[in-house]
């Protein structure tokens, strides 16, 4: 699959999801970027903004398996990954696969589960496998976790630790629609349920091929140096207690390759880095103390204005 075919595939999926999610083309493109990068997405926003609907619309656009798990305080790790079951008639144990054995896994309200259950996702998110009873089971490709959480409501929740956040390629927020988008939303849903009528426009094998093709997108050395400089600036010891890891740097590079591909380019440019630095890096940054009055998002935006970008990249 060449880059132009990747761009056309991404456009078809984006247009299909946009039949349900109104006015969020940029956010849909970011989710597609995470999917083709082999990464995962944390959708963090207030209730009712379409987080779960976006995940369902993406899954329905792809001809592959989908599973949803509603995370609650009493959810156990085995409820996600699966468990060994004893069969009395044979006197043997067998492994019953859990909902994590799918292609698109929606972890709804992930911060309502206990840390023990949250950690059950670590292996499958990072290594695309699940180990149970000393046996390792590989997950099917593509595999993507889309997790949602409400940042406002904190009662009865368990904040994701930094190690878990680092497994997510991006953290996104959909936000509220503007007035025109709100009217379009009502018109779209007044007499129909677009999500139920949504049909698939791609299959899992195409996603795997497109993902492999994106790895061929060229990244100039000057652009690599720019990425490294941005990540290094995000580790400012005077302002940052925990900065982006090497995993974050590689995630940024992979995401930039995909972002270039879905826009029809065979090479990464500095603007790709600027477009993706915020969703890829901000959730991996813990600022130092309360004296520095800013947020990780504002901090990343400020450093992008300070780090000098290469003026020309070889195509």
């Amino acid at each position: 699959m060449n880059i132009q075919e990747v761009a056309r595939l991404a456009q078809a999926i984006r247009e299909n999801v946009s039949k349900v999610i109104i006015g969020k083309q940029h956010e849909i493109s970011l989710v597609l970027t995470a999917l083709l990068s082999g990464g995962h997405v944390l959708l963090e926003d207030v209730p009712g903004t379409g987080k779960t609907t976006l995940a369902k619309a993406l899954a329905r656009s792809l001809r592959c398996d989908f599973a949803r798990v509603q995370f609650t305080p009493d959810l156990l790790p085995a409820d996600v990954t699966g468990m060994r079951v004893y069969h009395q008639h044979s006197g043997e144990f067998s492994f019953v696969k859990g909902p994590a054995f799918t292609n698109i896994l929606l972890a709804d309200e992930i911060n309502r589960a206990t840390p023990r259950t949250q950690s059950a996702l670590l292996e499958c998110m990072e290594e695309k496998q699940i180990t149970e009873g000393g046996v390792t089971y590989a997950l099917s490709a593509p595999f993507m976790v889309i997790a949602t959480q409400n940042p406002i409501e904190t009662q009865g929740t368990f904040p994701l630790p930094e190690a878990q956040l680092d497994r997510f390629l991006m953290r996104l927020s959909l936000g509220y629609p503007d007035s025109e988008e709100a009217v379009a939303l009502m018109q779209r849903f007044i007499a129909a349920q677009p999500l139920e009528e949504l049909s698939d426009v791609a299959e899992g094998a195409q996603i795997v091929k497109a993902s492999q093709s994106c790895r061929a997108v060229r990244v100039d050395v000057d652009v690599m140096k720019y990425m490294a400089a941005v990540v290094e600036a995000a580790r400012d010891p005077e302002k940052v207690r925990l900065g982006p890891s090497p995993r974050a740097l590689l995630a940024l590079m992979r995401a930039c390759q995909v972002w270039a591909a879905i826009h029809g380019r065979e090479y990464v440019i500095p603007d790709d880095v600027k477009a993706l630095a915020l969703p890829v890096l901000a959730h991996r940054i813990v600022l130092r103390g309360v004296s520095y009055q800013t947020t990780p998002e504002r901090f990343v935006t400020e450093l992008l204005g300070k780090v000098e970008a290469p003026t020309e990249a070889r195509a």
Side-chain angles (χ1 to χ4, degrees), residues 1 9 36 63 201-211:
M1 182 179 291
L9 176 66
L36 294 176
R63 196 177 304 123
V201 295
E203 57 185 17
Q206 289 177 291
I207 298 300
V208 173
K209 289 180 180 179
S211 179

Side-chain angles (χ1 to χ4, degrees), residues 29-287:
S29 294
L30 289 173
V31 173
L32 280 174
T33 298
L35 174 64
L36 294 176
S37 300
H40 313 282
V41 173
L42 177 62
L43 295 177
E44 186 177 271
D45 214 330
V46 295
T49 52
K51 302 184 296 296
T52 302
T53 303
L54 173 58
K56 288 183 176 180
L58 176 64
R60 284 179 178 253
S61 298
L62 307 176
R63 196 177 304 123
C64 56
D65 295 333
F66 170 75
R68 174 188 177 184
V69 178
Q70 184 67 47
F71 278 58
T72 56
D74 60 347
L75 192 74
L76 298 176
D79 296 327
V80 179
T81 60
M83 67 184 72
R84 290 169 60 83
V85 176
Y86 178 73
H87 297 278
Q88 189 173 6
H89 65 277
S90 63
E92 296 179 350
F93 285 90
S94 66
F95 180 63
V96 178
K97 295 181 178 180
F101 285 87
T102 187
N103 295 119
I104 306 292
L105 175 64
L106 171 58
D108 218 356
E109 296 186 293
I110 189 173
N111 57 333
R112 288 197 174 279
T114 61
R116 180 186 177 192
T117 302
Q118 291 174 6
S119 64
L121 290 174
L122 289 176
E123 182 182 14
C124 61
M125 290 175 68
E126 182 65 21
E127 302 174 44
K128 309 296 174 65
Q129 65 183 31
I130 290 175
T131 301
E132 174 63 33
V135 180
T136 298
Y137 303 88
L139 298 176
S140 301
F143 175 73
M144 180 187 194
V145 174
I146 301 179
T148 70
Q149 68 176 5
N150 174 11
I152 304 301
E153 189 175 5
T154 58
Q155 186 175 3
T157 63
F158 303 86
L160 294 175
E162 284 72 19
Q164 183 93 35
L165 288 172
D166 198 36
R167 260 63 173 193
F168 287 98
L169 179 70
M170 298 181 186
R171 182 176 64 183
L172 305 177
S173 175
L174 296 180
Y176 292 117
D178 59 31
S179 57
E180 292 184 3
E181 293 169 352
V183 172
L185 181 66
M186 289 185 286
Q187 292 174 335
R188 185 75 57 87
F189 281 82
I190 190 170
Q193 289 295 331
L195 182 61
E196 296 177 0
E197 300 170 358
L198 207 63
S199 59
D200 57 76
V201 295
E203 57 185 17
Q206 289 177 291
I207 298 300
V208 173
K209 289 180 180 179
S211 179
Q212 293 171 347
S213 299
C214 290
R215 290 180 175 265
V217 171
R218 297 193 302 276
V219 185
D220 188 82
V221 174
D222 290 337
V223 178
M224 287 186 179
K225 291 180 179 178
Y226 177 53
M227 291 182 194
V230 169
V231 171
E232 186 175 357
R235 300 176 183 144
D236 185 347
E238 294 184 1
K239 302 174 182 177
V240 177
R241 182 164 61 88
L242 179 65
S245 65
R247 182 193 285 124
L249 177 60
L250 294 177
L252 180 60
M253 182 187 69
R254 295 291 185 209
C256 286
Q257 286 179 295
V258 175
W259 189 258
I262 67 175
H263 288 87
R265 279 184 282 104
E266 297 181 351
Y267 53 91
V268 174
I269 60 176
D271 283 347
D272 297 332
V273 182
K274 294 178 180 178
L276 296 173
L278 188 61
V280 173
L281 300 181
H283 66 288
R284 293 175 159 99
I285 296 173
V286 178
L287 297 176

